[in-house]
Amino acid sequence: MAAEAKKEIQLEIAHVLFIDIVGYSKLSINDQRAAIDELTQTVRASEQFQNAEAAARLIKIPTGDGMALVFYKSPEEPVKCALEIGRALKGRRQLRMGVHSGPVSGVIDVNGQANLAGAGLNTAQRVMDCGDAGHILLSKRIADDLGEYEHWRPLLHDLGECEVKHGTRVSIVNLHADEVGNPQLPKKFRAQKKHRAQMRWAVTTLALLALATILAGIAVFSRNRGRSTLAAPEKSIAVLPFENRSEDKANAYFADGVQDEILTHLSRIADLKVISRTSVMQYKSGVVRNLREIAQQLGVAHVVEGSVQRAGSKVRVNAQLIDAMSDAHLWAQTYDRDLADVFAIQTEIAEAIAAQLQAKLSPREKAAIKQPPTNDITAFDLYTRAKNLFLTAYGSSTGSADLLHAADLLNEAVARDRSFFDAYCQLAFTNYGLYSTGFDHTPARLAQADAALQAVARLRPDAGETHLARARHFYFGYLDYGGALAELEVARRIIPGDPWVAALQGFIERRQGRWDESMRDLERSIELDPRNIHTLQQAALSYQFLRGYPKAKSKLARVLAFEPNDAVTRVSYAFVELDWKADTRPMHQAIDSIRATNAAAVPSIANYWLVCAMAERDGAAAQNALVTSGENPITTLGATDNMNFNRPFIEGLIARLMKDESKAQSAFTAARAEQEKVVQAQPNYGPGLCLLGLIDAGLDRKEDALREGRRAIELLPVEKDALGGIAIIKYFAMIAAWVGDKDLACQQLAIATQHPCDLSYGQLKLLPFWDPLRGDPRFEKIVASLAPK
């Protein structure tokens, strides 16, 4: 804003009245406007407002569901104004009001609108938040000033302290007379009173717990004090999920989309550190947020909060930028527009926030922020729903179905708008995900992914997102690491704030066997997306491959610190003990706990349950795990392989575990018929051919099994894929063991265990797949070499 277009207001003591319309969010947009208009007219008609406005010593700030009035002459002004408003609207409109005196500062723009910040404004709002409908609450500071006058004293009723944001306590006084105010004790105080009564019964126990906590805190502080003292970069920000204030709860997707688009705009600015949406999704709207704690957890200095209300062809978006450490509101704005203008609103919000943080924008970044994602609201809704599905698919018990549904939604979106660039990017990513995970490793799925990429390149050939999409094409579609890394190098220069750029580079380097570089780039991605469960799990998995088990547990413990009920992470954490020490007890206990308390999550851990049951030689439990898996494929007989074992094959393994060889042979025969179709459709797919070799080994088709295993190694050598290639060598060793070639089996195991991989002391010692080798000195030496030191 030009210098002549604003007037600076120096820091000074003001007397602030905060007014909130009770039940505002439940009103329709038309009723909300009527309520605001009625309140505004009442305020303007009050004597205190008119006197202060005439003296040019008043600022009125809309807050979305009410307003703040800032007076400068006397602490009596806001209190008298509150009484006037309360009397005028008694029986017509429910309000709650809070009053405080304190420092404020801000600007008045050319439109006469004011934006203020400071403790005076914030504390007045906190005081108001302690009340219910009808309450006029004062801070103790302003009540003490009024108490100097005899005529105020009968109206002042001390309530004591109320806990507000960040654990701060504010002393509150209730102002009420016969005809105005609310004499009832506010709900927050009643809850505090009840809590204190309960606490008196537990004082001894709490004292002991407090002592234990202090001792533990000293230990934690000694470990983490270096990290806790690091200040967040000044130009760092997290855009928290926006509240959906629409009557139609289905519009929650729309609110998510508005928030995500603002976040995406900001992440395109290289001068800003912006936390990825995956990490902020967990701070859901509609709950009390401790912004200081959230900022510390995410490593940022600022947060954005907001709300979206959609009704018919209208939309209201409210957004505010907050300094997380001081809780100061640096900027706030409410937009009432036609629904079609929502994309322009997103741009305006991003530009305003960037300006407040004094971020430097290149011409490319300015153009990117101004470009709307689409002009089709329905297409935008479809895209947002698909993106939400994609973000949770990899940790979901319905991951394959979720990715397929996301692809269908995105196809609908681009059918409505053939120029919807972001939707094409997401469609390409989703299809490559289906292909690379083996959920749908078919030429048809790869062709769909490549077609989406062609649309991306056609629409914006030079965009950073286009180069990222090409990198995914080379990596997920064709294992072309050089091509992928070249594209990522370009993407990093254009969109350095996208955590996927660093994560994808880390995954590629891991496939290349460049473990140090891989861990460096995964850590960089985690810095930008500190609560991305998938990336943290993958970092932990890398440490497991490297047999750095304490570090693996540390990464998983970091997830459990903010998502203690994540079933996959809980079982993965326990699985480390099986790998490291051949101890299945922690894993067994974790699975039993999840089965008892979170039945819906059990399918997502069925693979782990199956491996645990196999390690414990419990055929009944293994069968239950397979039944629980439902339609989800079993993807590993260890930590992770992406092999996609078909169901009859697993049934054969369980039958063999239960000493039912006839049933095992029948199951393996069915498995072979099913797997032959996969190999015929994908003759050069190493994992598919390797599984056929395992099945043939189970059927004692020795020559076929060994030939298929060797061919699988040729198709996916370690030099091409350090993870997938070692996995095939591991299964080739298993093939050799099953057909009785112990020399070959031990030779292949020796090769595999010399590389980072999921083969571990616990798996070799406990899993029945290696029983044919037990007692062989060469095998026992390999097992002993992996034992915990």
Side-chain angles (χ1 to χ4, degrees):
M1 184 182 293
E4 64 271 18
K6 64 179 181 178
K7 172 186 175 184
E8 296 289 343
I9 301 176
Q10 302 301 319
L11 187 69
E12 59 183 308
I13 299 300
H15 315 293
V16 184
L17 167 61
F18 239 96
I19 309 169
D20 181 33
I21 299 172
V22 177
Y24 179 86
S25 63
K26 297 180 180 179
L27 301 174
S28 67
I29 288 183
N30 288 337
D31 287 342
Q32 286 180 351
R33 288 173 177 163
I36 291 293
D37 290 342
E38 182 181 37
L39 175 61
T40 301
Q41 292 171 13
T42 304
V43 167
R44 288 191 173 279
S46 69
E47 181 181 354
Q48 296 303 317
F49 182 98
Q50 293 177 1
N51 290 342
E53 190 176 51
R57 295 296 285 159
L58 174 73
I59 292 177
K60 172 179 168 288
I61 307 172
T63 61
D65 52 1
M67 65 181 67
L69 301 175
V70 184
F71 299 82
Y72 290 88
K73 181 180 178 182
S74 160
E76 289 186 283
E77 287 179 292
V79 181
K80 288 181 178 178
C81 189
L83 291 174
E84 288 183 78
I85 295 167
R87 291 189 183 102
L89 292 178
K90 184 178 181 181
R92 293 163 50 198
R93 183 71 63 188
Q94 286 191 317
L95 306 175
R96 59 176 183 165
M97 294 182 266
V99 188
H100 174 67
S101 293
V104 299
S105 63
V107 298
I108 302 175
D109 63 26
V110 291
N111 297 316
Q113 294 177 329
N115 289 318
L116 291 184
L121 199 68
N122 296 330
T123 303
Q125 184 177 14
R126 303 292 173 259
V127 169
M128 179 195 71
D129 287 342
C130 293
D132 307 321
H135 278 124
I136 302 173
L137 301 184
L138 317 180
S139 69
K140 189 71 163 56
R141 173 173 177 172
I142 202 164
D144 287 342
D145 291 337
L146 296 180
E148 297 293 323
Y149 304 96
E150 185 174 346
H151 64 278
W152 284 113
R153 292 173 193 161
L155 308 183
L156 305 175
H157 307 274
D158 197 344
L159 300 180
E161 290 186 337
C162 179
E163 184 171 327
V164 294
K165 272 194 173 183
H166 313 315
T168 304
R169 306 186 72 84
V170 179
S171 295
I172 303 292
V173 173
N174 190 9
L175 178 81
H176 62 83
D178 292 338
E179 76 281 12
V180 68
N182 182 352
Q184 299 297 317
L185 188 67
K187 291 177 183 177
K188 284 192 176 181
F189 284 87
R190 293 201 298 270
Q192 285 183 176
K193 187 176 180 181
K194 181 179 179 181
H195 179 66
R196 287 169 186 158
Q198 293 170 339
M199 290 294 287
R200 283 194 288 269
W201 291 97
V203 65
T204 303
T205 302
L206 285 177
L208 293 173
L209 287 173
L211 178 60
T213 301
I214 290 170
L215 294 174
I218 292 172
V220 171
F221 177 76
S222 67
R223 290 195 303 269
N224 297 317
R225 88 187 146 182
R227 181 178 176 184
S228 64
T229 56
L230 293 174
E234 180 61 26
K235 296 181 183 180
S236 56
I237 189 168
V239 183
L240 302 185
F242 278 25
E243 180 183 358
N244 174 35
R245 291 189 173 178
S246 307
E247 292 181 6
D248 185 353
K249 297 307 174 187
N251 281 327
Y253 286 117
F254 183 72
D256 288 344
V258 172
Q259 173 242 357
D260 185 38
E261 196 63 23
I262 294 167
L263 188 157
T264 301
H265 281 329
L266 292 171
S267 69
R268 289 175 171 138
I269 303 173
D271 199 29
L272 294 179
K273 174 188 174 182
V274 183
I275 299 302
S276 172
R277 182 165 178 244
T278 315
S279 287
V280 299
M281 279 176 67
Q282 296 155 57
Y283 302 103
K284 298 185 183 300
S285 61
V287 298
V288 176
R289 292 165 168 163
N290 186 321
L291 298 185
R292 182 174 297 177
E293 285 185 7
I294 291 173
Q296 288 174 341
Q297 291 163 358
L298 297 177
V300 296
H302 304 90
V303 296
V304 174
E305 290 189 303
S307 62
V308 179
Q309 185 168 10
R310 175 178 172 180
S313 62
K314 299 294 183 181
V315 65
R316 167 174 288 173
V317 179
N318 173 269
Q320 50 189 341
L321 174 67
I322 303 162
D323 183 318
M325 294 302 103
S326 67
D327 200 30
H329 287 61
L330 305 179
W331 169 87
Q333 188 66 46
T334 298
Y335 302 84
D336 283 307
R337 303 271 186 87
D338 290 335
L339 185 58
D341 290 337
V342 68
F343 303 119
I345 294 173
Q346 294 162 354
T347 295
E348 290 175 32
I349 291 173
E351 289 176 332
I353 291 170
Q356 286 291 330
L357 298 181
Q358 299 181 348
K360 299 175 182 177
L361 276 72
S362 68
R364 180 197 291 268
E365 291 166 350
K366 289 179 181 178
I369 288 177
K370 287 187 177 296
Q371 185 139 18
T374 177
N375 292 317
D376 189 315
I377 297 296
T378 301
F380 183 70
D381 281 345
L382 291 165
Y383 163 73
T384 301
R385 289 170 61 195
K387 195 168 184 180
N388 282 350
L389 279 171
F390 181 88
L391 288 175
T392 58
Y394 289 100
S396 168
S397 60
T398 57
S400 175
D402 288 348
L403 288 175
L404 289 168
H405 188 201
D408 289 341
L409 292 171
L410 290 164
N411 278 317
E412 287 186 55
V414 298
R416 292 185 63 90
D417 182 357
R418 295 294 182 184
S419 63
F420 196 167
F421 173 80
D422 292 336
Y424 276 117
C425 285
Q426 190 64 46
L427 180 58
F429 194 10
T430 302
N431 282 325
Y432 285 129
L434 282 162
Y435 180 79
S436 64
T437 57
F439 288 148
D440 185 11
H441 191 88
T442 61
R445 183 61 62 180
L446 183 59
Q448 291 179 55
D450 289 347
L453 175 63
Q454 290 170 9
V456 169
R458 170 177 54 81
L459 290 168
R460 298 185 200 171
D462 299 323
E465 292 84 355
T466 301
H467 290 284
L468 177 56
R470 286 198 185 105
R472 289 164 172 158
H473 158 85
F474 285 123
Y475 173 53
F476 291 117
Y478 299 94
L479 295 183
D480 180 350
Y481 305 137
L485 290 174
E487 293 292 343
L488 287 174
E489 187 59 35
V490 180
R492 186 190 300 277
R493 294 196 295 268
I494 302 172
I495 47 172
D498 192 318
W500 255 108
V501 174
L504 191 54
Q505 182 147 351
F507 295 152
I508 293 170
E509 289 160 342
R510 186 169 67 180
R511 295 278 177 180
Q512 293 177 312
R514 297 161 55 194
W515 292 90
D516 290 342
E517 295 100 317
S518 172
M519 295 311 303
R520 178 201 65 204
D521 283 310
L522 288 178
E523 292 291 353
R524 168 62 179 157
S525 179
I526 291 169
E527 180 185 345
L528 292 168
D529 202 356
R531 293 201 163 198
N532 187 313
I533 294 176
H534 176 71
T535 309
L536 286 164
Q537 288 173 339
Q538 288 297 311
L541 198 59
S542 288
Y543 283 123
Q544 277 181 265
F545 291 150
L546 293 163
R547 302 182 183 94
Y549 298 115
K551 290 183 178 179
K553 293 188 73 173
S554 175
K555 287 297 180 192
L556 295 169
R558 183 168 168 180
V559 176
L560 294 174
F562 63 81
E563 201 66 59
N565 296 318
D566 185 76
V568 172
T569 305
R570 287 179 62 189
V571 178
S572 299
Y573 184 86
F575 191 87
V576 176
E577 293 297 303
L578 186 155
D579 267 347
W580 187 7
K581 303 172 183 176
D583 185 358
T584 62
R585 289 171 298 178
M587 193 171 174
H588 194 126
Q589 292 166 4
I591 291 167
D592 284 350
S593 173
I594 292 165
R595 290 175 64 199
T597 61
N598 190 5
V602 175
S604 67
I605 61 165
N607 209 136
Y608 291 96
W609 185 11
L610 175 68
V611 173
C612 184
M614 288 284 189
E616 294 179 338
R617 311 301 174 106
D618 187 340
Q623 186 63 46
N624 287 337
L626 181 60
V627 171
T628 301
S629 69
E631 297 301 316
N632 291 331
I634 299 297
T635 58
T636 180
L637 300 180
T640 179
D641 302 308
N642 283 341
M643 287 289 288
N644 289 319
F645 299 101
N646 62 45
R647 196 176 194 85
F649 175 70
I650 301 299
E651 290 171 348
L653 292 179
I654 296 171
R656 181 165 282 182
L657 180 68
M658 300 176 77
K659 311 298 183 184
D660 189 339
E661 191 58 32
S662 174
K663 185 175 181 180
Q665 290 298 304
S666 177
F668 286 148
T669 299
R672 191 178 200 285
E674 192 171 315
Q675 192 62 23
E676 269 193 311
K677 296 177 183 177
V678 174
V679 173
Q680 287 170 3
Q682 308 165 64
N684 296 319
Y685 183 45
L689 194 59
C690 184
L691 175 53
L692 184 61
L694 272 174
I695 296 169
D696 278 339
L699 290 169
D700 202 25
R701 298 166 56 119
K702 181 176 180 179
E703 297 305 322
D704 289 337
L706 292 174
R707 174 175 46 79
E708 288 151 356
R710 288 192 176 97
R711 176 57 179 158
I713 291 175
E714 292 173 1
L715 290 170
L716 193 64
V718 174
E719 295 76 19
K720 186 173 183 180
D721 185 345
L723 290 188
I726 285 294
I728 288 182
I729 289 176
K730 176 185 78 171
Y731 285 117
F732 184 49
M734 197 179 291
I735 289 171
W738 288 9
V739 299
D741 192 338
K742 293 185 179 182
D743 292 343
L744 180 59
C746 290
Q747 179 195 61
Q748 295 300 308
L749 272 181
I751 294 172
T753 54
Q754 288 171 8
H755 293 77
C757 69
D758 76 329
L759 267 178
S760 67
Y761 168 71
Q763 291 185 43
L764 289 176
K765 187 174 182 64
L766 298 178
L767 290 174
F769 319 128
W770 305 108
D771 285 357
L773 299 178
R774 301 203 187 281
D776 187 297
R778 295 165 297 182
F779 175 75
E780 299 301 340
K781 183 179 179 180
I782 292 171
V783 176
S785 71
L786 299 176
K789 304 298 186 289

